[in-house]
Amino acid sequence: MHVLIARDADELAEIAADVFRERVRARPDLAMAVPAGRTPRRMYARMAQLQARAPIDYARMRVFSVDELCPPAPPDGYFWRQVRAEFLSWANVEAARCRPFAVDAGDLDAMCTAYEAAIAEAGGLDLVMLGLGPNAHLASNEPGCARRRTQGEVCERAVTLGLATIMAAREVIVLVSGEAKRAPLARMLDGSVTPEVPASVLRTHPRCLVITDRAARP
């Protein structure tokens, strides 16, 4: 595991944007699970600015969700709405190359099985980029959770890439910003590898990059 410490949230966004663009430039057909949330928001804004000045081709990417809230959250995706608005709206990735979770499906277990099959058909995920939860969870994998449907803050259920799927990705990047994340980041990086700290499993991943700022990692 490699840790990059940025000066602040703005520099973190700059580094993350550069890394994202570098990975796409190196492999235009990158199969990537892309993040939503507050920390990626600055990254996407930075990427949009860079695209206006120094464009790269995102059109061949295969874009997957990291996780998604189930109804009564919006059936077209609470997190996916952000990804569409802040990334896909200007990146020109065709809808056929995007795979959000179909949370309006009648059978969520079957939908998740089909989702895993789609990842396999893509040759596996080249990259998963995600944030770190306040209790050191990854995606919607809460401590002690063994199923693909977990509790979230906005509704009772969510679907998620499981820890095994995340670990199978060829690279994992974790974005961590803010003083409030000091405790979970420390538990992720410094404690023991345990199901009670889901993010700790990434210490065993062969290619994991953590991009954080001084507020979260002094």
Side-chain angles (χ1 to χ4, degrees):
M1 179 180 288
H2 183 57
V3 181
L4 283 177
I5 303 177
R7 178 180 59 255
D8 53 27
D10 286 335
E11 187 176 55
L12 188 158
E14 292 175 5
I15 294 170
D18 288 344
V19 170
F20 194 131
R21 285 165 53 89
E22 176 187 290
R23 299 300 189 269
V24 176
R25 192 182 290 113
R27 182 164 186 172
D29 66 343
L30 185 77
M32 179 177 177
V34 299
R38 284 173 293 186
T39 303
R41 181 158 283 133
R42 290 175 188 253
M43 176 190 72
Y44 289 136
R46 174 68 175 169
M47 289 168 60
Q49 293 169 357
L50 291 171
Q51 189 69 1
R53 300 200 307 266
I56 65 171
D57 183 12
Y58 293 96
R60 293 170 56 193
M61 282 184 69
R62 280 85 51 79
V63 180
F64 291 81
S65 288
V66 170
D67 57 354
E68 189 55 80
L69 300 181
C70 297
D76 61 336
Y78 182 85
F79 298 140
W80 190 250
R81 282 186 175 185
Q82 180 188 348
V83 171
R84 283 204 319 264
E86 298 178 12
F87 174 52
L88 297 176
S89 62
W90 55 263
N92 297 318
V93 183
E94 295 182 0
R97 304 184 73 82
C98 298
R99 184 80 185 212
F101 283 108
V103 290
D104 58 347
D107 186 336
L108 289 177
D109 284 332
M111 185 276 292
C112 288
T113 298
Y115 206 86
E116 293 286 350
I119 291 172
E121 289 169 10
L125 292 170
D126 296 303
L127 173 59
V128 175
M129 180 179 281
L130 69 173
L132 178 67
N135 59 357
H137 70 258
L138 289 179
S140 288
N141 296 285
E142 298 287 344
C145 177
R147 293 184 61 80
R148 288 171 290 192
R149 291 183 291 189
T150 66
Q151 290 187 345
E153 294 181 357
V154 179
C155 65
E156 292 183 354
R157 294 187 300 172
V159 289
T160 183
L161 298 181
L163 292 177
T165 303
I166 293 171
M167 290 295 290
R170 284 175 271 281
E171 182 178 17
V172 178
I173 297 175
V174 185
L175 308 179
V176 188
S177 178
E179 186 172 335
K181 295 295 179 69
R182 281 187 187 178
L185 181 59
R187 294 175 70 200
M188 172 187 175
L189 298 177
D190 305 327
S192 59
V193 176
T194 168
E196 295 308 310
V197 184
S200 66
V201 72
L202 291 178
R203 265 183 273 148
T204 67
H205 194 282
R207 191 180 179 197
C208 178
L209 172 64
V210 178
I211 308 175
T212 185
D213 59 23
R214 289 178 183 167
R217 188 72 169 178

